[in-house]
Amino acid sequence: MPTDNARQHIDVAADLDTVLATIRDVGSQPDWIPTIKEAEVDETDSSGLPRTARFAASTAVGTDRYTLAYEHSPGGMGWSMVEGRLQTGQEGRYTLERLDDGATRVTYDLTIHHNLPLPGFLRSRVIKGLVDETLKGLRSRLEGAG
């Protein structure tokens, strides 16, 4: 089973609390992540943070539908896949770091497991593109440039 991973960071001109609130607003992801077409929170914890959410995402081979379970920390948010259609697994994490100028460094680490018979160079380009588009979409949303 192929496993692909990409990790990248971006600096965003927004304070850590604002960035954290934005990434935790899972239902708004279709507004700033180009591949996410639907996002619906199924369950929240006692603080109102998402525990599980369902997604529909466009891919090169069709629409993928999957459910993610979340874990939260003061400096980020992680997840793992509960069930999926095209993916056999997914783990991800946003890690946030407060910068001296009031900005926030966002590191996005994404791992996807699947059974798709695609060449390694293509899979690598796809996952790196997903991570890059997601971070640029987040910065655009927070900085009002989009």
Side-chain angles (χ1 to χ4, degrees):
M1 158 178 36
T3 297
D4 301 300
N5 175 265
R7 184 173 198 241
Q8 185 178 326
H9 73 268
I10 197 167
D11 294 348
V12 177
D15 66 83
L16 189 140
D17 293 337
T18 301
V19 177
L20 189 58
T22 301
I23 64 172
R24 286 178 171 169
D25 183 7
V26 172
S28 74
Q29 286 185 359
D31 297 338
W32 55 275
I33 301 177
T35 58
I36 303 292
K37 301 306 173 198
E38 298 171 21
E40 183 177 341
V41 175
D42 286 332
E43 183 183 356
T44 59
D45 66 15
S46 60
S47 302
L49 299 176
R51 274 195 183 163
T52 60
R54 287 179 287 131
F55 295 88
S58 61
T59 72
V61 295
T63 299
D64 194 8
R65 296 188 181 279
Y66 52 94
T67 302
L68 301 177
Y70 292 92
E71 58 183 57
H72 300 276
S73 69
M77 179 176 78
W79 61 90
S80 59
M81 194 177 82
V82 176
E83 63 181 337
R85 190 174 141 260
L86 298 176
Q87 300 174 67
T88 57
Q90 181 186 133
E91 299 86 40
R93 175 161 295 284
Y94 289 108
T95 304
L96 309 181
E97 176 187 350
R98 202 177 310 270
L99 300 176
D100 290 340
D101 61 359
T104 303
R105 175 161 293 154
V106 181
T107 301
Y108 181 29
D109 192 354
L110 179 64
T111 301
I112 296 177
H113 313 273
H114 56 83
N115 290 320
L116 301 176
L118 299 172
F121 76 92
L122 182 57
R123 295 191 335 259
S124 177
R125 187 169 47 190
V126 167
I127 194 165
K128 286 177 182 174
L130 286 171
V131 168
D132 186 60
E133 284 182 347
T134 298
L135 288 174
K136 286 178 178 172
L138 178 63
R139 181 167 57 193
S140 178
R141 180 164 183 92
L142 287 164
E143 295 180 357

mmCIF file of all heavy atoms in Angstrom, residues 124-145:
data_model
loop_
_atom_site.group_PDB
_atom_site.id
_atom_site.type_symbol
_atom_site.label_atom_id
_atom_site.label_comp_id
_atom_site.label_asym_id
_atom_site.label_seq_id
_atom_site.Cartn_x
_atom_site.Cartn_y
_atom_site.Cartn_z
ATOM 1 N N SER A 124 3.945 12.006 -5.322
ATOM 2 C CA SER A 124 4.705 12.997 -4.577
ATOM 3 C C SER A 124 4.290 14.411 -4.985
ATOM 4 O O SER A 124 4.084 15.286 -4.130
ATOM 5 C CB SER A 124 6.199 12.796 -4.825
ATOM 6 O OG SER A 124 6.944 13.777 -4.176
ATOM 7 N N ARG A 125 4.133 14.638 -6.267
ATOM 8 C CA ARG A 125 3.730 15.959 -6.755
ATOM 9 C C ARG A 125 2.320 16.311 -6.267
ATOM 10 O O ARG A 125 2.057 17.450 -5.886
ATOM 11 C CB ARG A 125 3.795 15.986 -8.279
ATOM 12 C CG ARG A 125 3.545 17.361 -8.850
ATOM 13 C CD ARG A 125 3.868 17.461 -10.307
ATOM 14 N NE ARG A 125 3.319 16.354 -11.066
ATOM 15 C CZ ARG A 125 3.610 16.099 -12.324
ATOM 16 N NH1 ARG A 125 4.458 16.860 -12.962
ATOM 17 N NH2 ARG A 125 3.063 15.088 -12.952
ATOM 18 N N VAL A 126 1.428 15.324 -6.249
ATOM 19 C CA VAL A 126 0.046 15.570 -5.822
ATOM 20 C C VAL A 126 -0.004 15.960 -4.348
ATOM 21 O O VAL A 126 -0.621 16.963 -3.977
ATOM 22 C CB VAL A 126 -0.848 14.342 -6.111
ATOM 23 C CG1 VAL A 126 -2.182 14.454 -5.401
ATOM 24 C CG2 VAL A 126 -1.056 14.178 -7.613
ATOM 25 N N ILE A 127 0.655 15.188 -3.472
ATOM 26 C CA ILE A 127 0.556 15.491 -2.036
ATOM 27 C C ILE A 127 1.267 16.800 -1.703
ATOM 28 O O ILE A 127 0.780 17.594 -0.900
ATOM 29 C CB ILE A 127 1.034 14.325 -1.150
ATOM 30 C CG1 ILE A 127 0.572 14.561 0.296
ATOM 31 C CG2 ILE A 127 2.528 14.135 -1.237
ATOM 32 C CD1 ILE A 127 0.661 13.357 1.189
ATOM 33 N N LYS A 128 2.396 17.079 -2.347
ATOM 34 C CA LYS A 128 3.068 18.364 -2.115
ATOM 35 C C LYS A 128 2.183 19.518 -2.579
ATOM 36 O O LYS A 128 2.129 20.567 -1.939
ATOM 37 C CB LYS A 128 4.419 18.395 -2.826
ATOM 38 C CG LYS A 128 5.453 17.539 -2.131
ATOM 39 C CD LYS A 128 6.767 17.516 -2.874
ATOM 40 C CE LYS A 128 7.759 16.613 -2.157
ATOM 41 N NZ LYS A 128 8.992 16.437 -2.900
ATOM 42 N N GLY A 129 1.476 19.323 -3.680
ATOM 43 C CA GLY A 129 0.545 20.340 -4.163
ATOM 44 C C GLY A 129 -0.612 20.572 -3.201
ATOM 45 O O GLY A 129 -1.022 21.713 -2.973
ATOM 46 N N LEU A 130 -1.135 19.485 -2.611
ATOM 47 C CA LEU A 130 -2.223 19.611 -1.632
ATOM 48 C C LEU A 130 -1.776 20.427 -0.424
ATOM 49 O O LEU A 130 -2.489 21.326 0.033
ATOM 50 C CB LEU A 130 -2.675 18.223 -1.147
ATOM 51 C CG LEU A 130 -3.491 17.376 -2.094
ATOM 52 C CD1 LEU A 130 -3.657 15.975 -1.529
ATOM 53 C CD2 LEU A 130 -4.832 18.012 -2.357
ATOM 54 N N VAL A 131 -0.603 20.125 0.092
ATOM 55 C CA VAL A 131 -0.091 20.832 1.263
ATOM 56 C C VAL A 131 0.157 22.298 0.922
ATOM 57 O O VAL A 131 -0.235 23.199 1.675
ATOM 58 C CB VAL A 131 1.182 20.126 1.800
ATOM 59 C CG1 VAL A 131 1.896 20.977 2.826
ATOM 60 C CG2 VAL A 131 0.807 18.769 2.396
ATOM 61 N N ASP A 132 0.765 22.571 -0.220
ATOM 62 C CA ASP A 132 1.040 23.938 -0.644
ATOM 63 C C ASP A 132 -0.251 24.738 -0.831
ATOM 64 O O ASP A 132 -0.376 25.869 -0.334
ATOM 65 C CB ASP A 132 1.858 23.916 -1.939
ATOM 66 C CG ASP A 132 2.308 25.303 -2.359
ATOM 67 O OD1 ASP A 132 3.033 25.946 -1.571
ATOM 68 O OD2 ASP A 132 1.937 25.738 -3.466
ATOM 69 N N GLU A 133 -1.240 24.170 -1.530
ATOM 70 C CA GLU A 133 -2.517 24.858 -1.748
ATOM 71 C C GLU A 133 -3.236 25.140 -0.439
ATOM 72 O O GLU A 133 -3.850 26.193 -0.272
ATOM 73 C CB GLU A 133 -3.443 24.016 -2.635
ATOM 74 C CG GLU A 133 -3.101 24.027 -4.089
ATOM 75 C CD GLU A 133 -4.100 23.201 -4.900
ATOM 76 O OE1 GLU A 133 -4.905 22.431 -4.316
ATOM 77 O OE2 GLU A 133 -4.076 23.327 -6.130
ATOM 78 N N THR A 134 -3.180 24.198 0.485
ATOM 79 C CA THR A 134 -3.844 24.375 1.774
ATOM 80 C C THR A 134 -3.215 25.526 2.554
ATOM 81 O O THR A 134 -3.924 26.395 3.083
ATOM 82 C CB THR A 134 -3.796 23.071 2.590
ATOM 83 O OG1 THR A 134 -4.500 22.053 1.863
ATOM 84 C CG2 THR A 134 -4.432 23.244 3.955
ATOM 85 N N LEU A 135 -1.897 25.554 2.633
ATOM 86 C CA LEU A 135 -1.226 26.632 3.368
ATOM 87 C C LEU A 135 -1.450 27.988 2.707
ATOM 88 O O LEU A 135 -1.691 28.993 3.393
ATOM 89 C CB LEU A 135 0.266 26.339 3.497
ATOM 90 C CG LEU A 135 0.628 25.220 4.474
ATOM 91 C CD1 LEU A 135 2.113 24.917 4.397
ATOM 92 C CD2 LEU A 135 0.212 25.571 5.895
ATOM 93 N N LYS A 136 -1.391 28.049 1.395
ATOM 94 C CA LYS A 136 -1.643 29.323 0.703
ATOM 95 C C LYS A 136 -3.092 29.769 0.893
ATOM 96 O O LYS A 136 -3.368 30.961 1.035
ATOM 97 C CB LYS A 136 -1.298 29.193 -0.777
ATOM 98 C CG LYS A 136 0.202 29.159 -1.008
ATOM 99 C CD LYS A 136 0.546 28.992 -2.470
ATOM 100 C CE LYS A 136 2.065 29.003 -2.661
ATOM 101 N NZ LYS A 136 2.434 28.663 -4.030
ATOM 102 N N GLY A 137 -4.029 28.817 0.886
ATOM 103 C CA GLY A 137 -5.428 29.147 1.135
ATOM 104 C C GLY A 137 -5.648 29.675 2.538
ATOM 105 O O GLY A 137 -6.403 30.631 2.749
ATOM 106 N N LEU A 138 -4.965 29.072 3.520
ATOM 107 C CA LEU A 138 -5.065 29.547 4.895
ATOM 108 C C LEU A 138 -4.517 30.957 5.019
ATOM 109 O O LEU A 138 -5.153 31.835 5.619
ATOM 110 C CB LEU A 138 -4.298 28.591 5.830
ATOM 111 C CG LEU A 138 -4.257 28.979 7.306
ATOM 112 C CD1 LEU A 138 -5.645 28.982 7.918
ATOM 113 C CD2 LEU A 138 -3.321 28.034 8.065
ATOM 114 N N ARG A 139 -3.362 31.209 4.439
ATOM 115 C CA ARG A 139 -2.790 32.559 4.516
ATOM 116 C C ARG A 139 -3.701 33.572 3.836
ATOM 117 O O ARG A 139 -3.946 34.653 4.357
ATOM 118 C CB ARG A 139 -1.406 32.609 3.870
ATOM 119 C CG ARG A 139 -0.801 34.012 3.967
ATOM 120 C CD ARG A 139 0.654 34.102 3.634
ATOM 121 N NE ARG A 139 0.932 33.586 2.304
ATOM 122 C CZ ARG A 139 2.137 33.321 1.870
ATOM 123 N NH1 ARG A 139 3.196 33.506 2.637
ATOM 124 N NH2 ARG A 139 2.317 32.869 0.649
ATOM 125 N N SER A 140 -4.235 33.230 2.676
ATOM 126 C CA SER A 140 -5.133 34.131 1.962
ATOM 127 C C SER A 140 -6.383 34.446 2.808
ATOM 128 O O SER A 140 -6.802 35.592 2.887
ATOM 129 C CB SER A 140 -5.525 33.493 0.629
ATOM 130 O OG SER A 140 -6.431 34.302 -0.063
ATOM 131 N N ARG A 141 -6.921 33.419 3.436
ATOM 132 C CA ARG A 141 -8.122 33.626 4.267
ATOM 133 C C ARG A 141 -7.809 34.551 5.443
ATOM 134 O O ARG A 141 -8.586 35.453 5.776
ATOM 135 C CB ARG A 141 -8.657 32.308 4.768
ATOM 136 C CG ARG A 141 -9.914 32.442 5.637
ATOM 137 C CD ARG A 141 -10.585 31.112 5.770
ATOM 138 N NE ARG A 141 -11.817 31.184 6.534
ATOM 139 C CZ ARG A 141 -13.004 31.370 6.014
ATOM 140 N NH1 ARG A 141 -13.149 31.539 4.712
ATOM 141 N NH2 ARG A 141 -14.082 31.388 6.777
ATOM 142 N N LEU A 142 -6.671 34.334 6.080
ATOM 143 C CA LEU A 142 -6.335 35.114 7.282
ATOM 144 C C LEU A 142 -5.835 36.520 6.963
ATOM 145 O O LEU A 142 -6.028 37.433 7.763
ATOM 146 C CB LEU A 142 -5.271 34.357 8.089
ATOM 147 C CG LEU A 142 -5.810 33.138 8.812
ATOM 148 C CD1 LEU A 142 -4.672 32.233 9.258
ATOM 149 C CD2 LEU A 142 -6.685 33.542 9.975
ATOM 150 N N GLU A 143 -5.203 36.682 5.828
ATOM 151 C CA GLU A 143 -4.664 37.997 5.481
ATOM 152 C C GLU A 143 -5.595 38.785 4.573
ATOM 153 O O GLU A 143 -5.268 39.899 4.163
ATOM 154 C CB GLU A 143 -3.274 37.827 4.842
ATOM 155 C CG GLU A 143 -2.256 37.261 5.822
ATOM 156 C CD GLU A 143 -0.874 37.081 5.214
ATOM 157 O OE1 GLU A 143 -0.687 37.343 4.010
ATOM 158 O OE2 GLU A 143 0.024 36.669 5.962
ATOM 159 N N GLY A 144 -6.739 38.196 4.221
ATOM 160 C CA GLY A 144 -7.731 38.899 3.420
ATOM 161 C C GLY A 144 -7.330 39.129 1.974
ATOM 162 O O GLY A 144 -7.823 40.033 1.332
ATOM 163 N N ALA A 145 -6.446 38.276 1.461
ATOM 164 C CA ALA A 145 -5.973 38.460 0.094
ATOM 165 C C ALA A 145 -6.716 37.592 -0.899
ATOM 166 O O ALA A 145 -6.269 37.391 -2.008
ATOM 167 C CB ALA A 145 -4.471 38.142 0.017
#
